[in-house]
Amino acid sequence: MPTTSLSPARVRLALLALALGGFAIGSTEFVAMGLLPNIAADLFPGLYGESPAHANASAGLLVSAYALGVVVGAPTIAALSARFPRKKLLLSLLVAFTVATVASALLPSFGGVLVARFIAGLPHGAYFGIAALVAASLMGPGNRGKGIAFVLGGLTIANVLGVPTITLLGQLAGWRVAYLAVAGLFALTFVAVLLAVPLQPGDPNATLRRELSIFRRGQVWFALAIGSIGFGGFFAVYTYVAPIIVTVAGLGAGIVPLALILVGVGMTIGNAVGGHLADVSLVRSMFGFFGLLAVSLAGVALTATTVPGLAIFLFLLGFSAAGLSPMIQTRLMDVAGEGQSLAAAINHASLNLGNSAGAFIGGLAVTSGLGYLGAPWIGLVLCALGVIIATVSIGLDRRASERAAGQIRLQQDAVLDRALS
């Protein structure tokens, strides 16, 4: 069915089905943050009894494993499948999500769960990339940022509803039950996409060589670095939000789901605002949100021992990070040329490289003697590096545009001179 023939109601249902996939992915990606102490106590019982901090840092590798799966899977699947019909590809990815998440819940050893989390991450970037292209097609011209934000909205809403609810379920019934619930969300999304999303062809002109050619563009690498390094600051804190709340702030474990809701509300609002601003003034908005992310990270480090300070800056942390996501993806698609399928997917690879790096470096800060408040300071360093990379990227882009404009003026002057002579 051509997209142009769809009724507004059908378009909304299709967008909701795609966003439900984002909701399920957000749940599977972030639920480990709220249940990290529970996972650590179950998979490392001896170590947890001796040093909860070291056990939590070890369990944090599950976050890194999922993120590395995204990094590997996003470019590989997107490049190889750009010509495939988009709906069928989405359904295949949802089957993979479901199976891998069930395996994460059932495998008994840390090593097995680690592998399952890596496999669960493989379809992540490809799903968001293809879903973003489908959403952009459904939304129509001039609304690309809004279409991207709509799909990502499912992920941010997961942090308001899905992650806190599943975290509470995991605290009451065990973290393995929590992952089975997430697998149920993926199965539900499969049915929703099957029924609501229209058939869309892939790109018939796509080839593996053309898709991979985007990596020859220097600005693509800059955009990837902005996401993977700058966004890592968020994950350096978010990975360890549960022990920060319990150990640093001295609050009960029951507060963790409430704190996750607060972060999720910030992410939901930030994503909507960021998607709008990406269509209005991409560069200025991106720098503004990076500045807010830096303030949020410093605020968490300085006020985590107080409930009001922690609440305010966790909200701002989610707001600023989620606002950056559609901006970074839009920037990457702007500089990618014809490789739009791959560009839409590898943005999530870069963000999850930031996830993996932030979780790992934050863990080093925790275990090196800096404690849990070392994580936000490490995050601030990563954020600052992201700003530096963005500054260099935009500066080079403007110089290239000025040179091109200058060459056009010279050519016009030469034509005019010949005409006058």
Side-chain angles (χ1 to χ4, degrees), residues 24 27 37 48 112 151 163 186 220 252 260 262 296-297 319 333:
S27 298
Y48 193 84
V151 175
V163 174
F186 282 119
V220 167
L260 294 176
L262 193 63
S296 305
L297 290 164
F319 177 88
M333 294 172 72

Side-chain angles (χ1 to χ4, degrees), residues 267-303:
M267 293 180 73
T268 302
I269 298 173
N271 176 68
V273 174
H276 173 72
L277 293 178
D279 290 328
V280 175
S281 179
L282 177 61
V283 173
R284 281 188 290 179
S285 300
M286 185 166 61
F287 281 114
F289 270 70
F290 260 125
L292 186 57
L293 178 60
V295 170
S296 305
L297 290 164
V300 171
L302 295 172
T303 68

Side-chain angles (χ1 to χ4, degrees), residues 10 17 87 91 94 188-199:
R10 179 65 188 280
K87 179 175 179 176
L91 293 173
L94 289 166
L188 180 62
T189 304
F190 178 91
V191 176
V193 170
L194 179 66
L195 297 177
V197 175
L199 293 174

